[in-house]
Amino acid sequence: MSRNHAEPTERSADDLTAPARAAATGASDAAAEAPFLHLLARGATVDAYEHPVLQARAEGRPAAFVEALEQAKRLALRVRDELEGRRRREAELSALFETAHDLAGPRDLDTVLQAIVQRARSLLGTDVAYLSLNDPARGDTYMRVTEGSVAARFQQLRLGMGEGLGGLVAQTALPYVTDDYFRDDRFRHTAAIDAGVRDEGLVAILGVPLMLGADVIGVLFAADRRARVFEREQIALLGSFAALAAAAIDTAHLITETRSALAGLEQAHEIIQDRSAVIERASEVHDRLAELVLRGGGVHDVAAAVSRVLDATVEFTEALAAPAAALESSRADGHAVRHDDDWIAAVAAGGELLGALVLRGHPGLDPVDQRILERAAMVTSLLLLARRSAAEAEQRVRGELLDDLLDARDRDPRVLRERAARLSADLDATHVVLAARLETEGADPDQEAAARRRLWSAASHLAATRQGLAAARDGGTVLLLPLPPDATATTTARTTAHHLGSAVSAPVTVGSSAPVGDLAAHPETVGAAYAESRRCLDALRLLGRAGDGAAAEDFGFLGLLLAGDRDVTGFVDRTIGKVVAYDDRRGTDLIRTLDAYFAGGMSPARTKDTLHVHVNTVAQRLERVAALLGEDWQSPARLLEVQLAVRLHRMATPGMIGPTTHG
């Protein structure tokens, strides 16, 4: 006994020093973070973040302070990377919109080509951008326009089909990328091409084909004078840009041909007038689509605009809803394809099918109207790709903030509030933490992984619309949602389970924590609430209530007993299985009588009042229970097990959750 009393005394002594240690640690952390906050504020380079650490070591500062500086440096670099990523994404979207606007304005070919190359360089932020066009007469490609180039020999290059990276792109009609041109042996090097590239000092090069249907009319390049890895999204965006640019080149060719015809063929004045009207109509459509992009229109706005121009019904449909054969043919050829009385134009980007524009009930489509439909499909793919990039970026940011709250990595309330405010979330409001899991028993690993991605996507969308946060965690999904004034944790869990289950077309089980608040000041409560919601989720699944939602308050102390891998069904069957079976066979109420008996403090008189029966009936039923379970069923060793089994049985029975009501 004396040792048991000594231990609390020792802990109390330690606790007396905890505030001092916490204050010292907080002051040290603040001192360590200060120089990096200044570096972030003035947009310093990455190298500058090493200076505070090197200076501290040179001054012989304590190891703990140097380690605090290292941690602050890593956090500051993460913040800097996040800010840089956001600036880059904003610049990419801005460049796309500016590109659409510039391509809609110029009319002569040289101006169009110069705008294309300028936007390509701006889009990827490279040192050099250039465009080569095919020369059918000579069977090679030549450099038409360059931006950022300084070497005359490079600007005058001609590439044979299959020579150099550009020749390979033109010959195969596929995008190619190299992060180190002179070490890449996938394409054929020639002395002339290598000399031009060396004069320009290029290292990393990305080339995408300019396609008109199945024909390659040129290659659009973006290149850097240093090693660089071009990401898949950048290749896809440049590919979509090249497709739109090819259409603009085609329009410029048509306008040039029309003007030449007007100058030399006065006898065909009427025909030329008709052709000019058609081209002006196509240009008007292009301008209208560009205006839609600039003012933030959606895919259905594009379909509506084309419907008005063509005086027909044009709809955007998902890829799975469009005729498969016609959609694949349109994607492969780059043209709209007739299907019965409809026309199908594939909406694709980087080889990925994103959907289709369908022109309904218009079998006799004019070639120019067909081209209008195809251009609308290109603009639609550009919009979808840009919006997907923005949505994925926001989902990642929401998940990263919730991960930081769960792991309590960022304890600065001001920083947490600022990060949440940028996502329209309020960490000072009352929230609940929800653990959601998709029930996919019997699914193979690929199907299960796909199901988890669908669940995370649906949860992210729900969190964005509810001004909350969502992240993938522990094989499931965790959500942090604000609690409306008229809702409870239980109702929120149930509505969330229903919403997510409907979104993924499969049962989703959701456990909720009790309401929590003041999360910015106390982020550690999020992790504790998540653990509570996980226990609630485990309890629901153990009780056979998969696909349902509940909160920790619904289970009381049973939630703790049910957490983990416990054989609840086996325990109930072993303890009161004979009584349950007797009720099922005879239609009696022995289990209900036991429930009322325990709720009434094991008083037969209060039990008969609850059940509205005679006290002799209660006594007879208890005698039957004794005959089934044994005369010692009310002994202290067994009574708690029987009482717990009765309550578990009642909670696992649909419609019976909650305490027994007594008269």
Side-chain angles (χ1 to χ4, degrees), residues 183-203:
R183 295 185 179 182
D184 198 332
D185 57 1
R186 292 177 299 163
F187 43 85
R188 190 168 44 148
H189 291 263
T190 66
I193 297 173
D194 286 358
V197 173
R198 188 175 288 106
D199 286 354
E200 193 62 51
L202 300 182
V203 178

Side-chain angles (χ1 to χ4, degrees), residues 446 448-458:
D446 292 339
E448 184 173 356
R452 289 179 179 177
R453 287 193 295 270
R454 291 198 307 272
L455 175 61
W456 180 77
S457 178

Side-chain angles (χ1 to χ4, degrees), residues 424 461-468 481-484 492 495-496:
S424 301
H461 178 73
L462 176 62
T465 57
R466 290 279 306 276
Q467 297 181 337
L481 297 181
L483 187 65
T492 301
T495 55
T496 301

